[in-house]
C-alpha cells in the first residue's frame, strides 16, 4: 500500500524539464509553425505537460484563455487549466494554489499589464509562481502584457516616436520575476526604443530588454538569454553610462544619455546576463 501511495504521489509531482522563463514580445505565431509556443510546450514537459493559463490581463479572458487552451490541447499537453482570476480573493483558493504548485508550465497572456498586476501582485498564487520560476521548477512564459510584468520596475504605458524624454514613459511596479530587467514589448514594431531608453536612464542599475513581436527572450537557468523567433531582442545596458541630464531638465525636454551600450540580437543569439556580454559577438 505504501509503495502504491508513493507511486501515486510521484505521478502528481512535476517531472524534471529543461525549464526557462520565456518573455515574448507579443503577437507570437498561433497558427502556422507556432515555434515559440511549441518551445514553451516542450520545455513545460511536452506530452506530460500540465499547463496553467492566466488570461486575466485580457478584457476577454474567457476568449483568450480558450484560444491558448485549444493550442496546447492540439499540441498534446496532458492537462490544461485556464485560471480566470477576476478577483484577488480567488488567489486564496487552495485548489488553484495546488494546481499552480504542481503544474509544469505557466502561461500569462497579453492584455493590460496594470490589470494583470492588480489581480496577481502580492497574492499567494503569485508568490508560488515567482518562487517556482526563479528556482527553475517550472517553465514560465508571458506574452505582451505578460512579458511587461516580469521586472520589479515595469513600463505601464507611454508614447513612441519621439526623442527620449521623461514624459515618454510611465513606470510602476511589476511582479518581480526577473527583478534586474525592465521589459518593453512590441518593440521595434511600435517604435519604442526611445521609451525604453528613457526608462533605463531613470534606473541605471537595470538592463532594458526590448522584444519584437513573434520573438522571445528566453532566460535560461545558467544566467544566459537566448533569442527565439522572427524579430530581434534589443538589450540596453546603462552599466557604463557616464552622464544623463535627467535631473536637470523638464519632463518633456529631450534627454542626454551618454555611453549606453546597445545589443541587437536575433534568432539563436545568446547574451550572458552576469557578464553583460553577447556570446554571439567578438569581444
Amino acid at each position: 500500500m505504501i509503495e502504491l501511495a508513493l507511486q501515486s504521489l510521484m505521478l502528481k509531482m512535476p517531472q524534471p524539464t529543461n525549464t526557462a522563463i520565456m518573455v515574448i514580445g507579443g503577437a507570437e505565431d498561433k497558427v502556422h509553425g507556432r515555434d515559440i509556443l511549441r518551445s514553451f510546450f516542450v520545455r513545460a514537459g511536452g506530452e506530460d505537460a500540465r499547463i496553467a493559463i492566466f488570461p486575466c490581463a485580457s478584457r476577454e479572458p474567457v476568449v483568450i484563455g480558450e484560444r491558448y487552451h485549444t493550442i496546447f490541447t492540439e499540441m498534446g499537453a496532458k492537462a490544461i487549466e485556464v485560471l480566470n482570476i477576476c478577483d484577488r480573493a480567488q488567489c486564496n483558493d487552495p485548489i488553484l494554489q495546488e494546481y499552480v504548485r504542481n503544474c509544469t508550465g505557466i502561461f500569462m497572456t497579453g492584455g493590460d499589464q496594470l490589470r494583470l498586476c492588480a489581480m496577481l501582485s502580492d497574492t499567494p498564487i503569485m508568490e508560488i509562481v515567482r518562487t517556482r520560476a526563479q528556482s527553475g521548477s517550472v517553465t514560465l512564459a508571458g506574452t505582451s502584457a505578460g512579458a511587461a510584468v516580469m521586472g520589479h520596475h515595469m513600463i505601464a504605458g507611454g508614447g513612441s516616436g519621439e526623442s527620449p524624454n521623461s514624459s515618454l514613459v510611465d513606470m510602476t511596479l511589476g511582479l518581480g520575476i526577473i527583478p534586474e530587467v525592465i521589459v518593453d514589448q512590441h518593440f521595434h514594431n511600435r517604435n519604442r526604443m526611445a521609451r525604453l531608453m528613457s526608462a533605463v536612464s531613470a534606473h541605471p542599475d537595470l538592463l532594458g530588454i526590448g522584444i519584437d513581436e513573434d520573438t522571445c527572450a528566453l532566460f535560461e537557468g545558467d544566467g544566459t538569454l537566448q533569442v527565439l523567433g522572427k524579430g530581434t531582442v534589443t538589450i540596453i545596458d546603462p552599466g557604463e553610462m557616464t552622464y544623463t541630464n535627467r535631473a536637470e531638465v523638464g519632463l518633456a525636454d529631450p534627454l542626454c544619455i551618454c555611453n549606453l551600450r546597445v545589443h541587437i540580437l536575433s534568432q539563436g543569439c545568446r547574451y550572458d546576463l552576469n557578464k553583460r556580454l553577447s556570446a554571439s559577438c567578438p569581444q
Side-chain angles (χ1 to χ4, degrees), residues 180-182 187-188 193 196-197 200 206-211 217 219 224-227 232-238 260-266 269-273 276-279:
E180 62 271 21
V181 303
I182 299 173
F187 192 62
H188 282 111
M193 178 73 84
L196 186 56
M197 286 182 169
V200 165
L206 304 178
L207 280 176
I209 309 288
I211 310 170
F219 290 76
T224 63
L225 177 158
Q226 180 185 173
V227 180
T232 61
V233 171
T234 300
I235 297 174
I236 301 177
D237 179 4
L260 284 181
R261 192 172 191 184
V262 177
H263 304 261
I264 299 178
L265 309 177
S266 59
C269 291
R270 290 182 176 270
Y271 181 84
D272 189 315
L273 293 156
R276 293 198 172 187
L277 292 172
S278 171

Short mmCIF file of all heavy atoms in Angstrom, two decimals, residues 180-182 187-188 193 196-197 200 206-211 217 219 224-227 232-238 260-266 269-273 276-279:
data_model
loop_
_atom_site.label_atom_id
_atom_site.label_comp_id
_atom_site.label_asym_id
_atom_site.label_seq_id
_atom_site.Cartn_x
_atom_site.Cartn_y
_atom_site.Cartn_z
N GLU A 180 15.95 42.25 -12.23
CA GLU A 180 17.06 43.07 -12.73
C GLU A 180 16.83 43.62 -14.13
O GLU A 180 17.73 44.23 -14.72
CB GLU A 180 18.37 42.27 -12.71
CG GLU A 180 18.40 41.03 -13.58
CD GLU A 180 17.90 39.77 -12.89
OE1 GLU A 180 17.16 39.89 -11.89
OE2 GLU A 180 18.26 38.66 -13.34
N VAL A 181 15.62 43.44 -14.69
CA VAL A 181 15.36 43.93 -16.04
C VAL A 181 14.12 44.82 -16.09
O VAL A 181 13.24 44.75 -15.22
CB VAL A 181 15.18 42.77 -17.05
CG1 VAL A 181 16.40 41.86 -17.05
CG2 VAL A 181 13.91 41.99 -16.78
N ILE A 182 14.09 45.69 -17.11
CA ILE A 182 12.88 46.41 -17.49
C ILE A 182 12.51 45.92 -18.90
O ILE A 182 13.34 46.00 -19.80
CB ILE A 182 13.09 47.93 -17.53
CG1 ILE A 182 13.50 48.46 -16.15
CG2 ILE A 182 11.82 48.64 -18.00
CD1 ILE A 182 13.89 49.94 -16.16
N PHE A 187 8.34 45.81 -29.70
CA PHE A 187 9.36 46.83 -29.52
C PHE A 187 9.63 47.65 -30.79
O PHE A 187 9.23 48.81 -30.89
CB PHE A 187 10.65 46.19 -29.01
CG PHE A 187 11.66 47.20 -28.53
CD1 PHE A 187 11.37 48.03 -27.48
CD2 PHE A 187 12.90 47.30 -29.14
CE1 PHE A 187 12.29 48.97 -27.02
CE2 PHE A 187 13.83 48.22 -28.70
CZ PHE A 187 13.53 49.05 -27.64
N HIS A 188 10.32 47.07 -31.77
CA HIS A 188 10.55 47.83 -33.00
C HIS A 188 9.26 48.02 -33.78
O HIS A 188 9.11 48.99 -34.53
CB HIS A 188 11.62 47.14 -33.86
CG HIS A 188 13.01 47.39 -33.37
ND1 HIS A 188 13.79 46.40 -32.82
CD2 HIS A 188 13.75 48.52 -33.31
CE1 HIS A 188 14.96 46.90 -32.46
NE2 HIS A 188 14.96 48.19 -32.74
N MET A 193 12.07 52.30 -28.93
CA MET A 193 13.46 52.43 -28.48
C MET A 193 13.63 53.61 -27.52
O MET A 193 14.23 53.47 -26.43
CB MET A 193 14.39 52.59 -29.68
CG MET A 193 15.86 52.79 -29.29
SD MET A 193 16.65 51.28 -28.68
CE MET A 193 17.12 50.54 -30.26
N LEU A 196 12.15 52.91 -24.02
CA LEU A 196 12.96 52.06 -23.15
C LEU A 196 14.21 52.78 -22.68
O LEU A 196 14.62 52.64 -21.52
CB LEU A 196 13.32 50.76 -23.88
CG LEU A 196 14.05 49.70 -23.05
CD1 LEU A 196 13.26 49.32 -21.80
CD2 LEU A 196 14.33 48.46 -23.89
N MET A 197 14.83 53.56 -23.55
CA MET A 197 16.00 54.35 -23.13
C MET A 197 15.62 55.33 -22.02
O MET A 197 16.39 55.52 -21.07
CB MET A 197 16.58 55.10 -24.33
CG MET A 197 17.33 54.24 -25.31
SD MET A 197 18.03 55.21 -26.66
CE MET A 197 19.10 53.98 -27.43
N VAL A 200 15.34 53.32 -18.81
CA VAL A 200 16.64 52.88 -18.31
C VAL A 200 17.43 54.03 -17.72
O VAL A 200 18.16 53.86 -16.73
CB VAL A 200 17.42 52.19 -19.45
CG1 VAL A 200 18.88 52.05 -19.11
CG2 VAL A 200 16.82 50.81 -19.75
N LEU A 206 19.59 48.69 -13.90
CA LEU A 206 18.82 47.64 -14.54
C LEU A 206 19.13 47.55 -16.02
O LEU A 206 19.57 48.52 -16.63
CB LEU A 206 17.32 47.89 -14.35
CG LEU A 206 16.83 48.03 -12.91
CD1 LEU A 206 15.33 48.33 -12.89
CD2 LEU A 206 17.14 46.78 -12.09
N LEU A 207 18.88 46.37 -16.61
CA LEU A 207 19.01 46.18 -18.05
C LEU A 207 17.66 46.43 -18.71
O LEU A 207 16.62 45.96 -18.23
CB LEU A 207 19.44 44.75 -18.37
CG LEU A 207 20.90 44.36 -18.24
CD1 LEU A 207 21.06 42.87 -18.51
CD2 LEU A 207 21.77 45.15 -19.19
N GLY A 208 17.68 47.14 -19.82
CA GLY A 208 16.48 47.29 -20.63
C GLY A 208 16.42 46.17 -21.66
O GLY A 208 17.41 45.91 -22.36
N ILE A 209 15.28 45.50 -21.76
CA ILE A 209 15.09 44.41 -22.71
C ILE A 209 13.89 44.75 -23.59
O ILE A 209 12.75 44.78 -23.12
CB ILE A 209 14.81 43.06 -22.00
CG1 ILE A 209 15.86 42.77 -20.92
CG2 ILE A 209 14.75 41.93 -23.02
CD1 ILE A 209 17.21 42.40 -21.42
N GLY A 210 14.13 45.04 -24.87
CA GLY A 210 13.06 45.33 -25.82
C GLY A 210 12.86 44.16 -26.76
O GLY A 210 13.81 43.74 -27.43
N ILE A 211 11.64 43.63 -26.84
CA ILE A 211 11.38 42.40 -27.56
C ILE A 211 10.37 42.65 -28.68
O ILE A 211 9.27 43.14 -28.44
CB ILE A 211 10.86 41.30 -26.62
CG1 ILE A 211 11.78 41.17 -25.39
CG2 ILE A 211 10.76 39.96 -27.34
CD1 ILE A 211 11.21 40.30 -24.29
N ALA A 217 12.63 36.38 -25.68
CA ALA A 217 13.87 36.39 -24.91
C ALA A 217 13.74 35.26 -23.89
O ALA A 217 12.93 35.35 -22.95
CB ALA A 217 14.08 37.72 -24.21
N PHE A 219 15.12 33.17 -20.96
CA PHE A 219 16.08 33.26 -19.85
C PHE A 219 16.34 31.86 -19.30
O PHE A 219 15.45 31.21 -18.74
CB PHE A 219 15.53 34.16 -18.74
CG PHE A 219 15.49 35.62 -19.11
CD1 PHE A 219 14.50 36.11 -19.95
CD2 PHE A 219 16.42 36.51 -18.60
CE1 PHE A 219 14.44 37.45 -20.29
CE2 PHE A 219 16.38 37.86 -18.94
CZ PHE A 219 15.39 38.33 -19.78
N THR A 224 22.03 32.91 -18.88
CA THR A 224 22.11 33.39 -20.26
C THR A 224 20.71 33.63 -20.82
O THR A 224 19.74 33.04 -20.37
CB THR A 224 22.87 32.42 -21.18
OG1 THR A 224 22.15 31.17 -21.23
CG2 THR A 224 24.28 32.19 -20.68
N LEU A 225 20.66 34.49 -21.80
CA LEU A 225 19.43 34.79 -22.53
C LEU A 225 19.62 34.32 -23.96
O LEU A 225 20.64 34.58 -24.57
CB LEU A 225 19.17 36.30 -22.47
CG LEU A 225 17.99 36.92 -23.20
CD1 LEU A 225 17.67 38.27 -22.55
CD2 LEU A 225 18.28 37.16 -24.69
N GLN A 226 18.64 33.63 -24.49
CA GLN A 226 18.67 33.16 -25.87
C GLN A 226 17.50 33.77 -26.63
O GLN A 226 16.40 33.92 -26.08
CB GLN A 226 18.59 31.63 -25.91
CG GLN A 226 18.60 31.06 -27.32
CD GLN A 226 18.39 29.56 -27.35
OE1 GLN A 226 18.24 28.96 -28.41
NE2 GLN A 226 18.36 28.93 -26.19
N VAL A 227 17.72 34.10 -27.90
CA VAL A 227 16.67 34.71 -28.72
C VAL A 227 16.03 33.66 -29.61
O VAL A 227 16.71 32.91 -30.31
CB VAL A 227 17.24 35.86 -29.59
CG1 VAL A 227 16.13 36.48 -30.44
CG2 VAL A 227 17.89 36.93 -28.70
N THR A 232 13.88 40.69 -33.30
CA THR A 232 15.10 40.88 -32.52
C THR A 232 14.78 41.18 -31.07
O THR A 232 13.67 41.60 -30.72
CB THR A 232 15.96 42.04 -33.08
OG1 THR A 232 15.20 43.27 -33.00
CG2 THR A 232 16.37 41.78 -34.51
N VAL A 233 15.78 40.97 -30.23
CA VAL A 233 15.75 41.41 -28.83
C VAL A 233 16.82 42.48 -28.68
O VAL A 233 17.99 42.25 -29.02
CB VAL A 233 16.01 40.24 -27.86
CG1 VAL A 233 16.20 40.76 -26.44
CG2 VAL A 233 14.87 39.24 -27.93
N THR A 234 16.42 43.64 -28.22
CA THR A 234 17.34 44.76 -28.01
C THR A 234 17.66 44.87 -26.53
O THR A 234 16.75 44.92 -25.69
CB THR A 234 16.72 46.08 -28.50
OG1 THR A 234 16.43 45.97 -29.90
CG2 THR A 234 17.67 47.25 -28.28
N ILE A 235 18.95 44.88 -26.21
CA ILE A 235 19.38 45.00 -24.82
C ILE A 235 20.06 46.35 -24.65
O ILE A 235 21.01 46.67 -25.37
CB ILE A 235 20.33 43.86 -24.43
CG1 ILE A 235 19.59 42.51 -24.55
CG2 ILE A 235 20.86 44.05 -23.01
CD1 ILE A 235 20.45 41.31 -24.32
N ILE A 236 19.57 47.13 -23.71
CA ILE A 236 20.14 48.44 -23.41
C ILE A 236 20.79 48.36 -22.03
O ILE A 236 20.11 48.18 -21.02
CB ILE A 236 19.08 49.54 -23.46
CG1 ILE A 236 18.44 49.60 -24.85
CG2 ILE A 236 19.68 50.89 -23.09
CD1 ILE A 236 17.32 50.60 -24.98
N ASP A 237 22.10 48.47 -22.02
CA ASP A 237 22.90 48.32 -20.80
C ASP A 237 23.44 49.68 -20.37
O ASP A 237 24.32 50.24 -21.02
CB ASP A 237 24.04 47.33 -21.07
CG ASP A 237 24.95 47.13 -19.86
OD1 ASP A 237 24.66 47.69 -18.79
OD2 ASP A 237 25.95 46.40 -20.01
N PRO A 238 22.95 50.22 -19.25
CA PRO A 238 23.45 51.52 -18.76
C PRO A 238 24.59 51.39 -17.75
O PRO A 238 24.92 52.36 -17.08
CB PRO A 238 22.21 52.10 -18.09
CG PRO A 238 21.54 50.90 -17.51
CD PRO A 238 21.83 49.74 -18.44
N LEU A 260 25.56 54.68 -23.34
CA LEU A 260 24.75 53.47 -23.24
C LEU A 260 25.36 52.40 -24.15
O LEU A 260 25.89 52.71 -25.21
CB LEU A 260 23.32 53.75 -23.71
CG LEU A 260 22.37 54.51 -22.80
CD1 LEU A 260 21.02 54.64 -23.48
CD2 LEU A 260 22.22 53.83 -21.46
N ARG A 261 25.24 51.17 -23.73
CA ARG A 261 25.69 50.06 -24.57
C ARG A 261 24.46 49.33 -25.09
O ARG A 261 23.57 48.95 -24.31
CB ARG A 261 26.57 49.11 -23.76
CG ARG A 261 27.30 48.10 -24.61
CD ARG A 261 28.30 47.32 -23.77
NE ARG A 261 29.19 46.55 -24.62
CZ ARG A 261 30.11 45.70 -24.16
NH1 ARG A 261 30.25 45.54 -22.87
NH2 ARG A 261 30.88 45.02 -24.99
N VAL A 262 24.39 49.14 -26.41
CA VAL A 262 23.20 48.56 -27.03
C VAL A 262 23.59 47.30 -27.80
O VAL A 262 24.54 47.31 -28.59
CB VAL A 262 22.51 49.57 -27.98
CG1 VAL A 262 21.32 48.91 -28.67
CG2 VAL A 262 22.06 50.80 -27.20
N HIS A 263 22.84 46.22 -27.56
CA HIS A 263 22.99 44.98 -28.32
C HIS A 263 21.67 44.72 -29.03
O HIS A 263 20.60 44.85 -28.43
CB HIS A 263 23.28 43.79 -27.41
CG HIS A 263 24.47 43.96 -26.52
ND1 HIS A 263 25.70 43.41 -26.82
CD2 HIS A 263 24.62 44.59 -25.33
CE1 HIS A 263 26.56 43.71 -25.86
NE2 HIS A 263 25.92 44.42 -24.94
N ILE A 264 21.73 44.35 -30.28
CA ILE A 264 20.53 43.92 -31.02
C ILE A 264 20.78 42.49 -31.48
O ILE A 264 21.69 42.23 -32.29
CB ILE A 264 20.23 44.85 -32.20
CG1 ILE A 264 19.97 46.27 -31.68
CG2 ILE A 264 19.01 44.34 -32.97
CD1 ILE A 264 19.69 47.29 -32.76
N LEU A 265 20.00 41.56 -30.94
CA LEU A 265 20.24 40.13 -31.13
C LEU A 265 19.08 39.49 -31.86
O LEU A 265 17.91 39.83 -31.63
CB LEU A 265 20.42 39.45 -29.76
CG LEU A 265 21.44 40.09 -28.81
CD1 LEU A 265 21.45 39.36 -27.48
CD2 LEU A 265 22.83 40.08 -29.44
N SER A 266 19.39 38.54 -32.73
CA SER A 266 18.36 37.84 -33.50
C SER A 266 18.39 36.35 -33.19
O SER A 266 19.17 35.89 -32.34
CB SER A 266 18.56 38.10 -35.00
OG SER A 266 19.84 37.65 -35.41
N CYS A 269 20.98 33.97 -31.16
CA CYS A 269 22.00 34.72 -30.42
C CYS A 269 21.81 34.52 -28.92
O CYS A 269 20.70 34.31 -28.43
CB CYS A 269 21.90 36.21 -30.74
SG CYS A 269 22.40 36.64 -32.42
N ARG A 270 22.92 34.60 -28.20
CA ARG A 270 22.90 34.46 -26.74
C ARG A 270 23.55 35.67 -26.08
O ARG A 270 24.41 36.32 -26.66
CB ARG A 270 23.62 33.18 -26.30
CG ARG A 270 22.86 31.91 -26.66
CD ARG A 270 23.58 30.67 -26.16
NE ARG A 270 22.81 29.46 -26.41
CZ ARG A 270 21.92 28.96 -25.56
NH1 ARG A 270 21.71 29.56 -24.40
NH2 ARG A 270 21.25 27.86 -25.86
N TYR A 271 23.13 35.92 -24.85
CA TYR A 271 23.66 37.04 -24.07
C TYR A 271 23.89 36.56 -22.65
O TYR A 271 23.01 35.92 -22.04
CB TYR A 271 22.67 38.20 -24.10
CG TYR A 271 23.12 39.44 -23.35
CD1 TYR A 271 23.95 40.38 -23.95
CD2 TYR A 271 22.70 39.65 -22.04
CE1 TYR A 271 24.36 41.52 -23.27
CE2 TYR A 271 23.11 40.79 -21.34
CZ TYR A 271 23.93 41.70 -21.96
OH TYR A 271 24.34 42.83 -21.28
N ASP A 272 25.07 36.86 -22.11
CA ASP A 272 25.42 36.48 -20.74
C ASP A 272 24.97 37.60 -19.80
O ASP A 272 25.54 38.70 -19.80
CB ASP A 272 26.93 36.26 -20.63
CG ASP A 272 27.33 35.65 -19.29
OD1 ASP A 272 26.84 36.13 -18.25
OD2 ASP A 272 28.16 34.73 -19.28
N LEU A 273 23.95 37.34 -19.00
CA LEU A 273 23.38 38.36 -18.14
C LEU A 273 24.30 38.73 -16.99
O LEU A 273 24.25 39.86 -16.48
CB LEU A 273 22.04 37.89 -17.58
CG LEU A 273 20.93 37.73 -18.64
CD1 LEU A 273 19.88 36.74 -18.16
CD2 LEU A 273 20.31 39.06 -18.96
N ARG A 276 27.23 40.58 -18.78
CA ARG A 276 26.68 41.62 -19.64
C ARG A 276 27.42 41.71 -20.97
O ARG A 276 27.86 42.75 -21.41
CB ARG A 276 26.66 42.99 -18.94
CG ARG A 276 25.69 43.04 -17.74
CD ARG A 276 25.36 44.45 -17.35
NE ARG A 276 24.29 44.47 -16.34
CZ ARG A 276 23.69 45.58 -15.91
NH1 ARG A 276 24.07 46.76 -16.39
NH2 ARG A 276 22.73 45.52 -15.01
N LEU A 277 27.58 40.55 -21.56
CA LEU A 277 28.26 40.44 -22.85
C LEU A 277 27.46 39.53 -23.77
O LEU A 277 26.90 38.52 -23.32
CB LEU A 277 29.67 39.86 -22.68
CG LEU A 277 30.70 40.70 -21.94
CD1 LEU A 277 31.95 39.88 -21.70
CD2 LEU A 277 31.02 41.97 -22.73
N SER A 278 27.44 39.85 -25.04
CA SER A 278 26.82 38.98 -26.01
C SER A 278 27.75 37.83 -26.34
O SER A 278 28.94 38.04 -26.62
CB SER A 278 26.47 39.75 -27.29
OG SER A 278 26.06 38.85 -28.29
N ALA A 279 27.24 36.62 -26.30
CA ALA A 279 28.04 35.46 -26.66
C ALA A 279 28.14 35.29 -28.16
O ALA A 279 28.87 34.44 -28.64
CB ALA A 279 27.43 34.21 -26.01
#
